[in-house]
Amino acid sequence: MRYLWEALLAAQEEQIPEEKLRFVHTPLGSGYMELSLPCLNQTWLETDGQRGDVSIGVNTYYRFYDIFQGMFPPDPADFPDLRESLTNLSLHMLAQNDIRRGMTREDYHKRLLAKEILEGGFGEAARSVFLDLDKKERELLLGGWLSIFRAGSALPVFLDMVHGLVADSIVYHNNECPDQVLIYTGLKKDRKLEQRIGFLIDTFLDIRYHVELYYEYHFGIIGVEETMQVGEIAIC
């Protein structure tokens, strides 16, 4: 990590809340890097203290000399705590500006949607499932959710969500009964998996659809030998 925005991305990867990051001015930091970390090629963040805060040294003169040139004179400061808090606040704002520079409108909408999910705006089930996803899965979910907002409920979006967020899954759509959907996953049934699939059904499917779930064992299909194995078949 070399720049402020990389620290924010690393915090997201490690699921560290941004308010736990504390940027501090480092007077003896490297003149060739913005961040002053214990290891030169460090790609992770380390928490310290009982509160679990992450202290990150910053060479504030590396890119922001015009902003901080008058804040750190050689003489002792009259209000050191105030100066430290203002420095931390300013660097948080500058880091956020860095990240937003490369954002598209959809990225911005995704960020607002994620914020509302984490704040419980869509219920505790949605928040719990969202926290259980990794970064790529969250991006996929948010993209699908925005598609639903724009176009309304759509079966193709639901299929994409299941294939992307439920490992080893197959979705069958009954041609004779258009409102029936069968979902198979090779994973064993557990609470988190059941909650994730239930969330996808409630969020992306119209109420008219009837869904049947099969875990671990595929249901038998006459004529398809792979699904007709003794002891490895679910009867539907």
Side-chain angles (χ1 to χ4, degrees):
M1 288 182 287
R2 291 187 58 183
Y3 298 98
L4 285 173
W5 58 270
E6 292 182 285
L8 293 190
L9 293 181
Q12 292 177 9
E13 288 282 350
E14 300 177 34
Q15 297 186 2
I16 299 174
E18 186 181 343
E19 57 268 21
K20 292 291 185 180
L21 303 183
R22 189 155 191 86
F23 295 113
V24 297
H25 172 72
T26 305
L28 301 178
S30 170
Y32 301 95
M33 299 179 66
E34 190 163 88
L35 300 184
S36 298
L37 301 172
C39 300
L40 183 62
N41 297 319
Q42 185 170 326
T43 59
W44 67 93
L45 298 174
E46 295 180 348
T47 58
D48 55 15
Q50 295 181 350
R51 297 175 56 189
D53 291 341
V54 180
S55 181
I56 303 174
V58 181
N59 177 4
T60 56
Y61 299 153
Y62 185 78
R63 280 194 298 157
F64 309 115
Y65 179 78
D66 291 342
I67 298 175
F68 294 100
Q69 59 175 325
M71 289 187 65
F72 302 99
D75 299 329
D78 293 333
F79 304 98
D81 291 340
L82 175 61
R83 185 177 68 174
E84 183 178 330
S85 296
L86 288 175
T87 300
N88 178 56
L89 176 61
S90 300
L91 291 172
H92 271 279
M93 294 175 63
L94 292 168
Q96 286 292 342
N97 287 341
D98 275 347
I99 290 180
R100 291 195 179 98
R101 282 181 181 177
M103 289 178 62
T104 64
R105 178 180 295 182
E106 181 164 349
D107 292 331
Y108 185 70
H109 289 164
K110 284 181 179 179
R111 176 168 293 191
L112 292 177
L113 178 58
K115 182 175 182 293
E116 189 167 356
I117 293 171
L118 292 173
E119 290 176 350
F122 292 93
E124 185 57 34
R127 182 177 182 274
S128 177
V129 170
F130 192 75
L131 288 173
D132 193 48
L133 302 176
D134 60 31
K135 184 178 180 181
K136 290 184 179 179
E137 290 175 332
R138 289 184 180 185
E139 285 294 314
L140 178 64
L141 175 64
L142 294 172
W145 214 332
L146 291 177
S147 297
I148 291 296
F149 288 154
R150 290 191 292 261
S153 179
L155 185 60
V157 178
F158 172 74
L159 299 181
D160 289 341
M161 293 299 102
V162 174
H163 291 151
L165 300 177
V166 181
D168 193 16
S169 61
I170 304 174
V171 181
Y172 297 92
H173 188 207
N174 194 330
N175 292 331
E176 295 182 359
C177 183
D179 294 342
Q180 186 178 41
V181 176
L182 283 70
I183 300 176
Y184 160 76
T185 174
L187 302 177
K188 291 184 178 181
K189 182 178 180 179
D190 61 30
R191 186 187 64 82
K192 284 189 175 182
L193 178 60
E194 191 175 16
Q195 185 181 44
R196 180 178 296 196
I197 295 177
F199 164 73
L200 295 177
I201 292 171
D202 294 339
T203 303
F204 295 99
L205 274 186
D206 289 336
I207 195 172
R208 64 187 177 91
Y209 286 101
H210 173 70
V211 180
E212 294 187 20
L213 301 175
Y214 297 87
Y215 300 91
E216 192 174 0
Y217 298 112
H218 198 286
F219 52 86
I221 302 176
I222 297 176
V224 181
E225 294 185 4
E226 291 81 358
T227 68
M228 300 294 286
Q229 302 296 321
V230 176
E232 297 182 4
I233 183 174
I235 305 298
C236 61

